Amino acid sequence: MRYYIVIPTYNEEQFIALTLQSLAEQTVVPTKVIVVNDSSTDSTPEIVSDFAKKYPWITLVNKTSDAIHLPGSKVIQAFQKGLESIDEDYDLIVKVDADLIFPANYFETIIRHFKSDTTIGMVGGFCYIEKNGEWILENLTDKDHIRGALKAYRKTTFQQIGGLRPQMGWDTVDELLCKFYNWKIVTDESLHVKHLKPTGANYNTTARYKQGEAFYTLGYGFIITAIASLKLALRKGKPFLFIDYLVGFWKAKLANKPLLVTADQAQFIRKYRLQKMKKKLFR
């Protein structure tokens, strides 16, 4: 299976070489890697250019945008810029972050999963962060969720869900739409990926309400949003984020922000999330 990778980057001179080197050392090397340099002010583009000279399957694409790092919008706009420079001759499309180190068998294993079942639409491993000299699971989500840092999609699935939405919540709505269209999602706990920069490390303070807004635009409704907000705030070890998330939800609702999904999809999503919550409560 041919797989293309798109890597949005912004000021990643500290990590991008480690990510690209780990891709070059894969047992099944990617057919194409598009690195989108999104207005970096450091040596990121020079580092990528050096790799591109050595590995012809790496391409640097430059993009101009604001430096503000709002979760979701900036990174997916850069990803979409990368998509513009690829052809259709691929089986899998992969979005990864520029601060990851993949084990050598990562994509060989990902491909094996896709080949095993034609109804599998998405596959991913798990992010690990370094803490006190040890690599531990970056435990921000349930284990049946693929982190936004390393998403691999079957081409047909990616096209059916309409690609990725350029706003916060994109890495949840993609999976919910997979469920809506009856695609399977596979997470492989044997695949440990080193995440060199913890999630949200660069988020501007203006992003604090964005999570609640994302819950609204996913069509969650208030009750599911409240439960999800409390759970996420506690997982991050910052209980007061719960208030910010709820404020973000109500701001979006009062502003009548457009949803990321259709009315039918929103109804499906609420039913699916409630079923999952009940299952956890009564297991």
Side-chain angles (χ1 to χ4, degrees), residues 212-231:
E213 180 183 308
F215 289 149
Y216 172 78
T217 58
L218 286 167
Y220 276 16
F222 180 71
I223 293 172
I224 296 174
T225 292
I227 296 168
S229 295
L230 182 60
K231 179 179 169 184

Side-chain angles (χ1 to χ4, degrees), residues 7 12 15-16 19 97-101 149 194-198:
I7 310 176
E12 295 285 5
F15 306 120
I16 186 65
T19 300
D97 284 357
D99 58 351
L100 305 175
I101 299 177
K194 292 180 178 178
H195 197 187
L196 303 172
K197 190 169 61 187

